[in-house]
Amino acid sequence: MMTKGNMFNDQDGIRITPTFYFVQKDGKNRRLVDLYYHSDTARFVKIGSSADVERRNVILNSRLRNVPGQDLVDTSSTLWEMFSGPRGWQVTKQRYMEKYIKDTSKKTYVGGYDVQILTAPLRTFRGNMYGLPAGVDIYRANAAVQQWYGEYSLPAAVYVVPKGTNLAQYGGRLDDKSKVFLKDGYIVVNFTIETIRNGDTSNPYLQYIRRSNSPYYGVYDNQWRDMEGFKSSFTTPYGVTFGSVDGDVLYYNADKSSYDDFNSSGTH
């Protein structure tokens, strides 16, 4: 996603908080749900609980992410030009750029299944540096537009229950086919997207959605509807209509898992 303005400091970022819903395959009865998964050490771990310790990492300069190489060069050049003096970096520009590009192939921790923060190592600068009016700082112009990269997925197999369901009361009687788990429908992943300035996670700077309880309500556009043409409903090829809420980004078939996409076999 892209931001514009002063989001170029090393403590700036994007916070993405998912909320989970379940909707029947006929598009009806949408409701809030909790999701569980099996970890390597425990069964039925609730996403967002103290037992949910899965760490998610993202690599900026990975082959399938297709980050333009020129963006990496421009970003490293801009960072050195803007911050080497004020921060007293004792390194040449060439050495800094080489290290920056090398570091973009390393993993960056972003959070877990319940919240992710895209930080400076996952950001490039995309502002125009060419053909600018005389007197315009090309590096400040480059830093004025920021591109943030991330990825999100649910565990390979998830178990869906109405929000607030106490699975502990089922004890050891639970298995993957227990009736408490919602089936025959879709998990809807809804994102709340907020910008973070100077590491202040308690006071997000802007939100992607205009909420009535936001200090910016009535001042800024709702990015989903006003800027990007978000539709409040869609109809599948099978003729089923689903209602959509601002922030809906993913639909998962609750009856399937990624394990269904693979199988193993042998020649003898």
Side-chain angles (χ1 to χ4, degrees):
M1 62 177 301
M2 185 177 291
T3 54
K4 296 183 178 180
N6 296 341
M7 293 283 293
F8 48 68
N9 289 310
D10 56 8
Q11 293 298 310
D12 296 337
I14 305 292
R15 179 167 62 194
I16 300 174
T17 307
T19 302
F20 309 113
Y21 295 86
F22 179 85
V23 61
Q24 296 171 179
K25 285 189 175 179
D26 61 4
K28 300 177 181 179
N29 198 20
R30 177 176 172 132
R31 67 194 104 163
L32 283 167
V33 294
D34 292 324
L35 302 185
Y36 288 77
Y37 66 96
H38 299 331
S39 71
D40 293 337
T41 58
R43 289 172 57 81
F44 298 115
V45 176
K46 179 182 175 181
I47 289 180
S49 70
S50 59
D52 178 20
V53 294
E54 182 75 18
R55 292 174 60 89
R56 312 302 302 278
N57 297 287
V58 174
I59 297 174
L60 174 63
N61 191 19
S62 62
R63 182 174 60 86
L64 296 180
R65 205 173 307 285
N66 297 316
V67 179
Q70 189 62 47
D71 286 0
L72 300 178
V73 172
D74 291 345
T75 300
S76 60
S77 176
T78 292
L79 286 171
W80 192 90
E81 292 286 349
M82 291 183 64
F83 298 116
S84 63
R87 299 183 184 179
W89 292 346
Q90 300 300 311
V91 62
T92 66
K93 183 175 182 179
Q94 183 64 31
R95 291 290 298 275
Y96 175 83
M97 293 175 65
E98 290 172 354
K99 183 179 185 303
Y100 171 88
I101 293 175
K102 181 178 179 180
D103 287 346
T104 60
S105 296
K106 297 179 180 179
K107 294 179 180 179
T108 296
Y109 171 65
V110 294
Y113 294 119
D114 60 328
V115 63
Q116 293 194 1
I117 297 183
L118 309 183
T119 54
L122 298 174
R123 174 195 64 197
T124 62
F125 298 145
R126 298 291 305 276
N128 181 34
M129 302 177 70
Y130 308 100
L132 299 174
V136 174
D137 185 328
I138 64 171
Y139 301 107
R140 180 60 179 80
N142 181 232
V145 180
Q146 308 87 30
Q147 183 80 49
W148 305 82
Y149 293 87
E151 59 190 55
Y152 185 83
S153 64
L154 291 178
V158 290
Y159 305 91
V160 190
V161 297
K163 190 171 183 62
T165 299
N166 181 13
L167 283 189
Q169 69 185 15
Y170 292 88
R173 294 173 294 157
L174 278 179
D175 60 37
D176 295 359
K177 297 182 180 180
S178 295
K179 292 184 178 181
V180 66
F181 299 123
L182 299 176
K183 299 287 186 179
D184 196 31
Y186 298 96
I187 302 163
V188 185
V189 182
N190 181 283
F191 280 169
T192 295
I193 302 174
E194 301 165 306
T195 59
I196 304 298
R197 294 284 302 277
N198 301 315
D200 187 1
T201 56
S202 298
N203 297 287
Y205 185 62
L206 290 175
Q207 295 177 328
Y208 208 76
I209 180 176
R210 184 177 60 206
R211 299 184 185 278
S212 59
N213 62 347
S214 166
Y216 308 108
Y217 180 71
V219 178
Y220 297 104
D221 285 336
N222 178 330
Q223 287 288 115
W224 298 106
R225 294 180 185 273
D226 300 339
M227 302 294 290
E228 298 187 5
F230 188 87
K231 296 182 179 180
S232 59
S233 66
F234 66 93
T235 301
T236 71
Y238 304 102
V240 179
T241 298
F242 290 83
S244 297
V245 176
D246 294 341
D248 286 355
V249 293
L250 299 171
Y251 276 69
Y252 278 80
N253 191 325
D255 302 328
K256 302 287 185 179
S257 83
S258 62
Y259 294 135
D260 299 320
D261 295 335
F262 303 96
N263 57 46
S264 59
S265 61
T267 57
H268 58 281

